[in-house]
Amino acid sequence: QLVAYEVKRMKAEEGNKQKILRHIKELAEKLYKNENPYPAVTMHTVKKPKEGHHLRVQQKPFPRLDEGLVQWIIDQATAKLQTAPPAVKAEVKCMVPSGPPIAAIMERNGNAMANSARRLEVVRNCISYVFENKMLEAKKLFPAVLRAMKGRAARQCLTQELNLHVQQNRAVLDHQQFDFIIRMMNCCLQDCTAMDEHGIAAALLPLVTAFCRKLSPGITQFAYSCVQEHV
């Protein structure tokens, strides 16, 4: 129904937070009513008697019940139950038109997707420049790469590209390369959310134990020593 009827409304609302929130609220109410068609039944709580209540002298005797009145109440309730509608709501089927083609909806996301592809290209290029020792070019792209790390796709791209270089036995870096890679890893981990813990952070684990630099003969520093403070 949203696709069929509401695309124009959604386009009109773009950029107006109040309208978008009101629309979301309406949808939320519809969804809630759909899941909870019957109002909650109020439960009557019976208070527990206090300790030592049976020792009190001034207890009122339980009143005699009128048999005729009790029977009348039962009959009334039975009659109500017989005329009550069935407990399960009958499913109402309806035809929903197909609405505008998906392409019309995707147009709005076209720019975002193009931007995302450009960001990933920048990350790939910068990493290539670092490993090819083209440090001047890498330096130019570096601020854009750090900004791109705010996006999950760019963080994923970083782990994949670094993994390719490890497989090509290019894990031993010089000091400048090491510095660039560490800064990228730190920025990536800094922007990671709890959702990324078992994805991006886990993918970085084998990489931080692979990338290293030689400090002096016989002394090697691995990348994990520089990124291990992250949660």
Side-chain angles (χ1 to χ4, degrees), residues 40-112:
V41 179
T42 52
M43 299 296 287
H44 297 288
T45 53
V46 179
K47 290 181 180 177
K48 281 186 177 178
K50 291 180 180 174
E51 282 181 28
H53 73 286
H54 57 284
L55 302 173
R56 291 189 197 139
V57 185
Q58 70 276 21
Q59 274 186 338
K60 290 178 183 175
F62 193 81
R64 274 190 72 80
L65 296 179
D66 181 345
E67 197 177 331
L69 183 61
V70 170
Q71 191 58 50
W72 179 79
I73 291 168
I74 292 170
D75 293 343
Q76 289 280 95
T78 312
K80 259 188 194 170
L81 280 174
Q82 283 165 354
T83 55
V88 180
K89 192 170 70 172
E91 193 178 326
V92 181
K93 289 183 171 67
C94 64
M95 287 297 290
V96 177
S98 59
I102 295 295
I105 301 165
M106 293 303 283
E107 276 171 19
R108 297 177 303 154
N109 301 332
N111 289 339

